[in-house]
PDB file of all heavy atoms in Angstrom:
ATOM      1  N   ARG L   5      -7.853  -3.421 -10.772  1.00 93.00           N
ATOM      2  CA  ARG L   5      -7.500  -2.704  -9.550  1.00 93.00           C
ATOM      3  C   ARG L   5      -7.464  -3.702  -8.399  1.00 93.00           C
ATOM      4  O   ARG L   5      -8.458  -4.361  -8.111  1.00 93.00           O
ATOM      5  CB  ARG L   5      -8.505  -1.590  -9.307  1.00 93.00           C
ATOM      6  CG  ARG L   5      -8.372  -0.951  -7.945  1.00 93.00           C
ATOM      7  CD  ARG L   5      -8.836   0.495  -7.927  1.00 93.00           C
ATOM      8  NE  ARG L   5     -10.167   0.713  -8.469  1.00 93.00           N
ATOM      9  CZ  ARG L   5     -11.288   0.535  -7.790  1.00 93.00           C
ATOM     10  NH1 ARG L   5     -11.244   0.096  -6.553  1.00 93.00           N
ATOM     11  NH2 ARG L   5     -12.453   0.780  -8.341  1.00 93.00           N
ATOM     12  N   ALA L   6      -6.332  -3.817  -7.763  1.00 93.00           N
ATOM     13  CA  ALA L   6      -6.203  -4.742  -6.633  1.00 93.00           C
ATOM     14  C   ALA L   6      -6.580  -4.021  -5.352  1.00 93.00           C
ATOM     15  O   ALA L   6      -6.149  -2.904  -5.129  1.00 93.00           O
ATOM     16  CB  ALA L   6      -4.783  -5.268  -6.554  1.00 93.00           C
ATOM     17  N   ASP L  14       2.807  -2.383  -0.319  1.00 95.00           N
ATOM     18  CA  ASP L  14       1.972  -1.190  -0.452  1.00 95.00           C
ATOM     19  C   ASP L  14       1.370  -0.785   0.891  1.00 95.00           C
ATOM     20  O   ASP L  14       1.226   0.397   1.180  1.00 95.00           O
ATOM     21  CB  ASP L  14       0.849  -1.435  -1.472  1.00 95.00           C
ATOM     22  CG  ASP L  14       1.367  -1.386  -2.904  1.00 95.00           C
ATOM     23  OD1 ASP L  14       2.396  -0.721  -3.130  1.00 95.00           O
ATOM     24  OD2 ASP L  14       0.756  -2.001  -3.781  1.00 95.00           O
ATOM     25  N   ARG L  18       2.452   2.710   3.351  1.00 96.00           N
ATOM     26  CA  ARG L  18       1.510   3.724   3.807  1.00 96.00           C
ATOM     27  C   ARG L  18       1.418   3.822   5.317  1.00 96.00           C
ATOM     28  O   ARG L  18       1.524   4.900   5.897  1.00 96.00           O
ATOM     29  CB  ARG L  18       0.118   3.420   3.231  1.00 96.00           C
ATOM     30  CG  ARG L  18       0.041   3.752   1.751  1.00 96.00           C
ATOM     31  CD  ARG L  18      -1.291   3.377   1.152  1.00 96.00           C
ATOM     32  NE  ARG L  18      -1.410   3.933  -0.194  1.00 96.00           N
ATOM     33  CZ  ARG L  18      -0.847   3.405  -1.264  1.00 96.00           C
ATOM     34  NH1 ARG L  18      -0.147   2.292  -1.152  1.00 96.00           N
ATOM     35  NH2 ARG L  18      -0.975   3.976  -2.449  1.00 96.00           N
ATOM     36  N   ILE L  19       1.224   2.678   5.974  1.00 96.00           N
ATOM     37  CA  ILE L  19       0.822   2.753   7.380  1.00 96.00           C
ATOM     38  C   ILE L  19       1.959   3.097   8.343  1.00 96.00           C
ATOM     39  O   ILE L  19       1.700   3.531   9.454  1.00 96.00           O
ATOM     40  CB  ILE L  19       0.147   1.453   7.866  1.00 96.00           C
ATOM     41  CG1 ILE L  19       1.141   0.293   7.954  1.00 96.00           C
ATOM     42  CG2 ILE L  19      -1.016   1.090   6.953  1.00 96.00           C
ATOM     43  CD1 ILE L  19       0.522  -0.968   8.536  1.00 96.00           C
ATOM     44  N   ILE L  24      -1.998   9.967  10.431  1.00 95.00           N
ATOM     45  CA  ILE L  24      -1.784  10.640  11.714  1.00 95.00           C
ATOM     46  C   ILE L  24      -0.687   9.889  12.449  1.00 95.00           C
ATOM     47  O   ILE L  24      -0.842   8.732  12.808  1.00 95.00           O
ATOM     48  CB  ILE L  24      -3.078  10.670  12.555  1.00 95.00           C
ATOM     49  CG1 ILE L  24      -4.203  11.354  11.768  1.00 95.00           C
ATOM     50  CG2 ILE L  24      -2.819  11.382  13.884  1.00 95.00           C
ATOM     51  CD1 ILE L  24      -5.555  11.316  12.464  1.00 95.00           C
ATOM     52  N   VAL L  25       0.442  10.553  12.620  1.00 94.00           N
ATOM     53  CA  VAL L  25       1.636   9.860  13.106  1.00 94.00           C
ATOM     54  C   VAL L  25       2.034  10.365  14.478  1.00 94.00           C
ATOM     55  O   VAL L  25       2.216  11.554  14.691  1.00 94.00           O
ATOM     56  CB  VAL L  25       2.826  10.128  12.155  1.00 94.00           C
ATOM     57  CG1 VAL L  25       4.011   9.262  12.562  1.00 94.00           C
ATOM     58  CG2 VAL L  25       2.436   9.867  10.717  1.00 94.00           C
ATOM     59  N   GLU L  43      -0.557  14.615  33.495  1.00 65.00           N
ATOM     60  CA  GLU L  43      -0.837  15.933  32.945  1.00 65.00           C
ATOM     61  C   GLU L  43      -0.008  16.216  31.707  1.00 65.00           C
ATOM     62  O   GLU L  43       0.500  17.319  31.514  1.00 65.00           O
ATOM     63  CB  GLU L  43      -0.618  17.019  34.007  1.00 65.00           C
ATOM     64  CG  GLU L  43      -1.647  16.913  35.127  1.00 65.00           C
ATOM     65  CD  GLU L  43      -1.441  17.980  36.191  1.00 65.00           C
ATOM     66  OE1 GLU L  43      -0.601  18.859  35.972  1.00 65.00           O
ATOM     67  OE2 GLU L  43      -2.153  17.933  37.195  1.00 65.00           O
ATOM     68  N   ARG L  45      -0.201  16.019  27.523  1.00 76.00           N
ATOM     69  CA  ARG L  45      -1.245  15.899  26.521  1.00 76.00           C
ATOM     70  C   ARG L  45      -0.631  15.832  25.140  1.00 76.00           C
ATOM     71  O   ARG L  45       0.498  16.234  24.916  1.00 76.00           O
ATOM     72  CB  ARG L  45      -2.222  17.061  26.619  1.00 76.00           C
ATOM     73  CG  ARG L  45      -1.534  18.382  26.472  1.00 76.00           C
ATOM     74  CD  ARG L  45      -2.423  19.516  26.931  1.00 76.00           C
ATOM     75  NE  ARG L  45      -1.683  20.747  26.813  1.00 76.00           N
ATOM     76  CZ  ARG L  45      -2.020  21.741  25.999  1.00 76.00           C
ATOM     77  NH1 ARG L  45      -3.102  21.653  25.249  1.00 76.00           N
ATOM     78  NH2 ARG L  45      -1.271  22.826  25.910  1.00 76.00           N
ATOM     79  N   VAL L  47      -0.282  17.028  21.483  1.00 86.00           N
ATOM     80  CA  VAL L  47      -0.526  18.234  20.683  1.00 86.00           C
ATOM     81  C   VAL L  47       0.002  18.012  19.266  1.00 86.00           C
ATOM     82  O   VAL L  47       0.756  17.076  19.010  1.00 86.00           O
ATOM     83  CB  VAL L  47       0.146  19.483  21.301  1.00 86.00           C
ATOM     84  CG1 VAL L  47      -0.458  19.802  22.660  1.00 86.00           C
ATOM     85  CG2 VAL L  47       1.636  19.263  21.414  1.00 86.00           C
ATOM     86  N   ALA L  49       2.255  18.548  16.217  1.00 91.00           N
ATOM     87  CA  ALA L  49       3.595  19.059  15.902  1.00 91.00           C
ATOM     88  C   ALA L  49       3.579  19.691  14.512  1.00 91.00           C
ATOM     89  O   ALA L  49       4.189  20.720  14.272  1.00 91.00           O
ATOM     90  CB  ALA L  49       4.610  17.936  15.971  1.00 91.00           C
ATOM     91  N   SER L  50       2.873  19.081  13.581  1.00 92.00           N
ATOM     92  CA  SER L  50       2.755  19.653  12.240  1.00 92.00           C
ATOM     93  C   SER L  50       1.571  19.043  11.509  1.00 92.00           C
ATOM     94  O   SER L  50       1.165  17.923  11.810  1.00 92.00           O
ATOM     95  CB  SER L  50       4.041  19.399  11.439  1.00 92.00           C
ATOM     96  OG  SER L  50       4.163  18.027  11.173  1.00 92.00           O
ATOM     97  N   ASP L  52       0.208  18.574   7.478  1.00 92.00           N
ATOM     98  CA  ASP L  52       0.344  18.792   6.047  1.00 92.00           C
ATOM     99  C   ASP L  52      -0.760  18.053   5.335  1.00 92.00           C
ATOM    100  O   ASP L  52      -1.042  16.897   5.637  1.00 92.00           O
ATOM    101  CB  ASP L  52       1.682  18.249   5.528  1.00 92.00           C
ATOM    102  CG  ASP L  52       2.832  19.137   5.939  1.00 92.00           C
ATOM    103  OD1 ASP L  52       2.781  20.328   5.617  1.00 92.00           O
ATOM    104  OD2 ASP L  52       3.766  18.632   6.589  1.00 92.00           O
ATOM    105  N   TYR L  57      -2.210  18.841  -7.692  1.00 91.00           N
ATOM    106  CA  TYR L  57      -1.967  17.872  -8.739  1.00 91.00           C
ATOM    107  C   TYR L  57      -0.602  18.164  -9.349  1.00 91.00           C
ATOM    108  O   TYR L  57      -0.196  19.321  -9.435  1.00 91.00           O
ATOM    109  CB  TYR L  57      -3.058  17.932  -9.809  1.00 91.00           C
ATOM    110  CG  TYR L  57      -3.057  16.689 -10.648  1.00 91.00           C
ATOM    111  CD1 TYR L  57      -3.691  15.529 -10.187  1.00 91.00           C
ATOM    112  CD2 TYR L  57      -2.392  16.630 -11.858  1.00 91.00           C
ATOM    113  CE1 TYR L  57      -3.661  14.366 -10.912  1.00 91.00           C
ATOM    114  CE2 TYR L  57      -2.352  15.467 -12.596  1.00 91.00           C
ATOM    115  CZ  TYR L  57      -2.985  14.331 -12.116  1.00 91.00           C
ATOM    116  OH  TYR L  57      -2.941  13.179 -12.840  1.00 91.00           O
ATOM    117  N   THR L  64       9.013  14.913 -12.607  1.00 46.00           N
ATOM    118  CA  THR L  64       9.863  13.764 -12.326  1.00 46.00           C
ATOM    119  C   THR L  64      11.203  14.187 -11.749  1.00 46.00           C
ATOM    120  O   THR L  64      11.977  13.352 -11.345  1.00 46.00           O
ATOM    121  CB  THR L  64      10.107  12.946 -13.594  1.00 46.00           C
ATOM    122  OG1 THR L  64      10.632  13.828 -14.588  1.00 46.00           O
ATOM    123  CG2 THR L  64       8.809  12.346 -14.079  1.00 46.00           C
ATOM    124  N   ARG L  69      15.762   8.497 -10.395  1.00 39.00           N
ATOM    125  CA  ARG L  69      15.738   7.351 -11.272  1.00 39.00           C
ATOM    126  C   ARG L  69      17.076   6.654 -11.181  1.00 39.00           C
ATOM    127  O   ARG L  69      18.107   7.311 -11.064  1.00 39.00           O
ATOM    128  CB  ARG L  69      15.476   7.821 -12.713  1.00 39.00           C
ATOM    129  CG  ARG L  69      15.154   6.683 -13.625  1.00 39.00           C
ATOM    130  CD  ARG L  69      14.149   7.089 -14.682  1.00 39.00           C
ATOM    131  NE  ARG L  69      12.914   7.577 -14.103  1.00 39.00           N
ATOM    132  CZ  ARG L  69      12.516   8.823 -14.149  1.00 39.00           C
ATOM    133  NH1 ARG L  69      13.227   9.728 -14.708  1.00 39.00           N
ATOM    134  NH2 ARG L  69      11.368   9.158 -13.619  1.00 39.00           N
TER     135      ARG L  69
ATOM    136  N   PRO V  87      -6.624   8.159   8.498  1.00 97.00           N
ATOM    137  CA  PRO V  87      -5.950   6.967   9.021  1.00 97.00           C
ATOM    138  C   PRO V  87      -4.879   7.300  10.040  1.00 97.00           C
ATOM    139  O   PRO V  87      -4.132   8.258   9.886  1.00 97.00           O
ATOM    140  CB  PRO V  87      -5.323   6.352   7.760  1.00 97.00           C
ATOM    141  CG  PRO V  87      -5.101   7.510   6.842  1.00 97.00           C
ATOM    142  CD  PRO V  87      -6.216   8.477   7.118  1.00 97.00           C
ATOM    143  N   SER V  89      -1.345   6.197  11.753  1.00 95.00           N
ATOM    144  CA  SER V  89      -0.245   5.344  11.333  1.00 95.00           C
ATOM    145  C   SER V  89      -0.223   4.144  12.277  1.00 95.00           C
ATOM    146  O   SER V  89      -0.854   4.137  13.330  1.00 95.00           O
ATOM    147  CB  SER V  89       1.075   6.096  11.314  1.00 95.00           C
ATOM    148  OG  SER V  89       1.462   6.408  12.619  1.00 95.00           O
ATOM    149  N   PHE V  90       0.514   3.148  11.855  1.00 95.00           N
ATOM    150  CA  PHE V  90       0.505   1.871  12.565  1.00 95.00           C
ATOM    151  C   PHE V  90       0.991   1.983  14.004  1.00 95.00           C
ATOM    152  O   PHE V  90       1.940   2.708  14.298  1.00 95.00           O
ATOM    153  CB  PHE V  90       1.401   0.878  11.804  1.00 95.00           C
ATOM    154  CG  PHE V  90       1.480  -0.469  12.439  1.00 95.00           C
ATOM    155  CD1 PHE V  90       0.500  -1.407  12.195  1.00 95.00           C
ATOM    156  CD2 PHE V  90       2.505  -0.764  13.318  1.00 95.00           C
ATOM    157  CE1 PHE V  90       0.559  -2.644  12.792  1.00 95.00           C
ATOM    158  CE2 PHE V  90       2.573  -2.014  13.934  1.00 95.00           C
ATOM    159  CZ  PHE V  90       1.593  -2.955  13.660  1.00 95.00           C
ATOM    160  N   GLU V 123      -8.035   7.311  -1.844  1.00 97.00           N
ATOM    161  CA  GLU V 123      -6.727   7.279  -2.509  1.00 97.00           C
ATOM    162  C   GLU V 123      -6.587   6.037  -3.388  1.00 97.00           C
ATOM    163  O   GLU V 123      -7.081   4.973  -3.037  1.00 97.00           O
ATOM    164  CB  GLU V 123      -5.642   7.265  -1.421  1.00 97.00           C
ATOM    165  CG  GLU V 123      -4.215   7.116  -1.936  1.00 97.00           C
ATOM    166  CD  GLU V 123      -3.166   7.151  -0.817  1.00 97.00           C
ATOM    167  OE1 GLU V 123      -3.342   7.913   0.169  1.00 97.00           O
ATOM    168  OE2 GLU V 123      -2.195   6.385  -0.908  1.00 97.00           O
ATOM    169  N   LYS V 127       1.607   2.142  -9.668  1.00 96.00           N
ATOM    170  CA  LYS V 127       3.037   1.937  -9.917  1.00 96.00           C
ATOM    171  C   LYS V 127       3.186   1.528 -11.368  1.00 96.00           C
ATOM    172  O   LYS V 127       2.411   0.704 -11.863  1.00 96.00           O
ATOM    173  CB  LYS V 127       3.587   0.828  -9.024  1.00 96.00           C
ATOM    174  CG  LYS V 127       3.685   1.232  -7.567  1.00 96.00           C
ATOM    175  CD  LYS V 127       4.157   0.075  -6.718  1.00 96.00           C
ATOM    176  CE  LYS V 127       4.361   0.544  -5.282  1.00 96.00           C
ATOM    177  NZ  LYS V 127       4.577  -0.595  -4.385  1.00 96.00           N
ATOM    178  N   GLN V 177      16.187   8.616 -19.347  1.00 92.00           N
ATOM    179  CA  GLN V 177      15.573   9.564 -18.429  1.00 92.00           C
ATOM    180  C   GLN V 177      14.492  10.372 -19.136  1.00 92.00           C
ATOM    181  O   GLN V 177      13.380  10.529 -18.650  1.00 92.00           O
ATOM    182  CB  GLN V 177      16.665  10.500 -17.902  1.00 92.00           C
ATOM    183  CG  GLN V 177      16.196  11.535 -16.933  1.00 92.00           C
ATOM    184  CD  GLN V 177      16.373  11.064 -15.505  1.00 92.00           C
ATOM    185  OE1 GLN V 177      15.412  10.833 -14.811  1.00 92.00           O
ATOM    186  NE2 GLN V 177      17.592  10.901 -15.060  1.00 92.00           N
ATOM    187  N   ASP V 181      10.579  10.343 -18.325  1.00 93.00           N
ATOM    188  CA  ASP V 181       9.902  11.598 -17.998  1.00 93.00           C
ATOM    189  C   ASP V 181       8.701  11.817 -18.902  1.00 93.00           C
ATOM    190  O   ASP V 181       7.649  12.274 -18.448  1.00 93.00           O
ATOM    191  CB  ASP V 181      10.870  12.783 -18.157  1.00 93.00           C
ATOM    192  CG  ASP V 181      11.851  12.858 -17.002  1.00 93.00           C
ATOM    193  OD1 ASP V 181      11.694  12.072 -16.043  1.00 93.00           O
ATOM    194  OD2 ASP V 181      12.774  13.689 -17.055  1.00 93.00           O
ATOM    195  N   TYR V 188       0.439  11.370 -15.989  1.00 95.00           N
ATOM    196  CA  TYR V 188      -0.158  12.385 -15.113  1.00 95.00           C
ATOM    197  C   TYR V 188      -1.197  13.211 -15.869  1.00 95.00           C
ATOM    198  O   TYR V 188      -2.262  13.508 -15.360  1.00 95.00           O
ATOM    199  CB  TYR V 188       0.916  13.314 -14.552  1.00 95.00           C
ATOM    200  CG  TYR V 188       1.541  12.835 -13.272  1.00 95.00           C
ATOM    201  CD1 TYR V 188       2.889  12.524 -13.207  1.00 95.00           C
ATOM    202  CD2 TYR V 188       0.777  12.685 -12.116  1.00 95.00           C
ATOM    203  CE1 TYR V 188       3.471  12.082 -12.026  1.00 95.00           C
ATOM    204  CE2 TYR V 188       1.345  12.245 -10.943  1.00 95.00           C
ATOM    205  CZ  TYR V 188       2.699  11.942 -10.904  1.00 95.00           C
ATOM    206  OH  TYR V 188       3.263  11.501  -9.741  1.00 95.00           O
ATOM    207  N   ASP V 225     -10.934   4.728 -12.871  1.00 96.00           N
ATOM    208  CA  ASP V 225     -10.666   3.355 -13.365  1.00 96.00           C
ATOM    209  C   ASP V 225     -10.538   3.350 -14.883  1.00 96.00           C
ATOM    210  O   ASP V 225      -9.643   2.720 -15.450  1.00 96.00           O
ATOM    211  CB  ASP V 225     -11.829   2.415 -13.002  1.00 96.00           C
ATOM    212  CG  ASP V 225     -11.792   1.984 -11.547  1.00 96.00           C
ATOM    213  OD1 ASP V 225     -10.784   2.227 -10.865  1.00 96.00           O
ATOM    214  OD2 ASP V 225     -12.798   1.401 -11.080  1.00 96.00           O
ATOM    215  N   ASN V 254      -0.721  14.232   6.531  1.00 94.00           N
ATOM    216  CA  ASN V 254       0.377  13.956   7.437  1.00 94.00           C
ATOM    217  C   ASN V 254       0.239  14.875   8.639  1.00 94.00           C
ATOM    218  O   ASN V 254       0.569  16.049   8.585  1.00 94.00           O
ATOM    219  CB  ASN V 254       1.725  14.137   6.746  1.00 94.00           C
ATOM    220  CG  ASN V 254       2.830  13.488   7.533  1.00 94.00           C
ATOM    221  OD1 ASN V 254       3.144  13.901   8.646  1.00 94.00           O
ATOM    222  ND2 ASN V 254       3.414  12.442   6.986  1.00 94.00           N
ATOM    223  N   ILE V 255      -0.315  14.302   9.703  1.00 95.00           N
ATOM    224  CA  ILE V 255      -0.451  15.060  10.948  1.00 95.00           C
ATOM    225  C   ILE V 255       0.514  14.424  11.941  1.00 95.00           C
ATOM    226  O   ILE V 255       0.438  13.233  12.211  1.00 95.00           O
ATOM    227  CB  ILE V 255      -1.887  14.979  11.501  1.00 95.00           C
ATOM    228  CG1 ILE V 255      -2.879  15.535  10.480  1.00 95.00           C
ATOM    229  CG2 ILE V 255      -1.995  15.731  12.830  1.00 95.00           C
ATOM    230  CD1 ILE V 255      -4.338  15.433  10.934  1.00 95.00           C
ATOM    231  N   ARG V 256       1.449  15.220  12.406  1.00 94.00           N
ATOM    232  CA  ARG V 256       2.414  14.681  13.380  1.00 94.00           C
ATOM    233  C   ARG V 256       2.064  15.166  14.778  1.00 94.00           C
ATOM    234  O   ARG V 256       1.775  16.338  14.979  1.00 94.00           O
ATOM    235  CB  ARG V 256       3.820  15.074  12.986  1.00 94.00           C
ATOM    236  CG  ARG V 256       4.211  14.312  11.760  1.00 94.00           C
ATOM    237  CD  ARG V 256       5.647  14.407  11.371  1.00 94.00           C
ATOM    238  NE  ARG V 256       5.836  13.426  10.324  1.00 94.00           N
ATOM    239  CZ  ARG V 256       6.359  12.201  10.516  1.00 94.00           C
ATOM    240  NH1 ARG V 256       6.801  11.860  11.699  1.00 94.00           N
ATOM    241  NH2 ARG V 256       6.449  11.354   9.523  1.00 94.00           N
ATOM    242  N   LEU V 257       2.088  14.239  15.685  1.00 90.00           N
ATOM    243  CA  LEU V 257       1.687  14.558  17.049  1.00 90.00           C
ATOM    244  C   LEU V 257       2.865  14.415  17.995  1.00 90.00           C
ATOM    245  O   LEU V 257       3.751  13.599  17.771  1.00 90.00           O
ATOM    246  CB  LEU V 257       0.580  13.594  17.492  1.00 90.00           C
ATOM    247  CG  LEU V 257      -0.651  13.535  16.586  1.00 90.00           C
ATOM    248  CD1 LEU V 257      -1.551  12.392  17.005  1.00 90.00           C
ATOM    249  CD2 LEU V 257      -1.401  14.845  16.645  1.00 90.00           C
ATOM    250  N   LYS V 258       2.848  15.233  19.019  1.00 86.00           N
ATOM    251  CA  LYS V 258       3.877  15.067  20.045  1.00 86.00           C
ATOM    252  C   LYS V 258       3.240  15.201  21.418  1.00 86.00           C
ATOM    253  O   LYS V 258       2.106  15.665  21.543  1.00 86.00           O
ATOM    254  CB  LYS V 258       4.985  16.102  19.856  1.00 86.00           C
ATOM    255  CG  LYS V 258       4.497  17.527  19.950  1.00 86.00           C
ATOM    256  CD  LYS V 258       5.617  18.522  19.690  1.00 86.00           C
ATOM    257  CE  LYS V 258       5.084  19.932  19.855  1.00 86.00           C
ATOM    258  NZ  LYS V 258       6.054  20.947  19.520  1.00 86.00           N
ATOM    259  N   GLU V 260       3.127  16.731  25.163  1.00 79.00           N
ATOM    260  CA  GLU V 260       3.536  17.963  25.836  1.00 79.00           C
ATOM    261  C   GLU V 260       3.045  17.911  27.276  1.00 79.00           C
ATOM    262  O   GLU V 260       1.934  17.462  27.536  1.00 79.00           O
ATOM    263  CB  GLU V 260       2.894  19.148  25.105  1.00 79.00           C
ATOM    264  CG  GLU V 260       3.397  20.486  25.514  1.00 79.00           C
ATOM    265  CD  GLU V 260       2.680  21.581  24.720  1.00 79.00           C
ATOM    266  OE1 GLU V 260       1.569  21.957  25.127  1.00 79.00           O
ATOM    267  OE2 GLU V 260       3.216  22.013  23.702  1.00 79.00           O
ATOM    268  N   ALA V 262       1.288  19.141  30.286  1.00 68.00           N
ATOM    269  CA  ALA V 262       0.211  20.107  30.428  1.00 68.00           C
ATOM    270  C   ALA V 262       0.573  21.142  31.496  1.00 68.00           C
ATOM    271  O   ALA V 262       1.171  20.802  32.511  1.00 68.00           O
ATOM    272  CB  ALA V 262      -1.083  19.385  30.825  1.00 68.00           C
TER     273      ALA V 262
END
Side-chain angles (χ1 to χ4, degrees):
Chain L
R5 170 152 52 83
D14 284 334
R18 286 177 170 79
I19 70 175
I24 303 174
V25 188
E43 293 180 7
R45 57 195 178 116
V47 296
S50 68
D52 286 304
Y57 197 81
T64 55
R69 192 146 301 111
Chain V
S89 69
F90 180 83
E123 175 179 323
K127 289 177 175 170
Q177 181 94 248
D181 284 353
Y188 272 117
D225 283 349
N254 196 295
I255 301 177
R256 290 190 170 261
L257 305 171
K258 60 183 183 185
E260 190 180 83

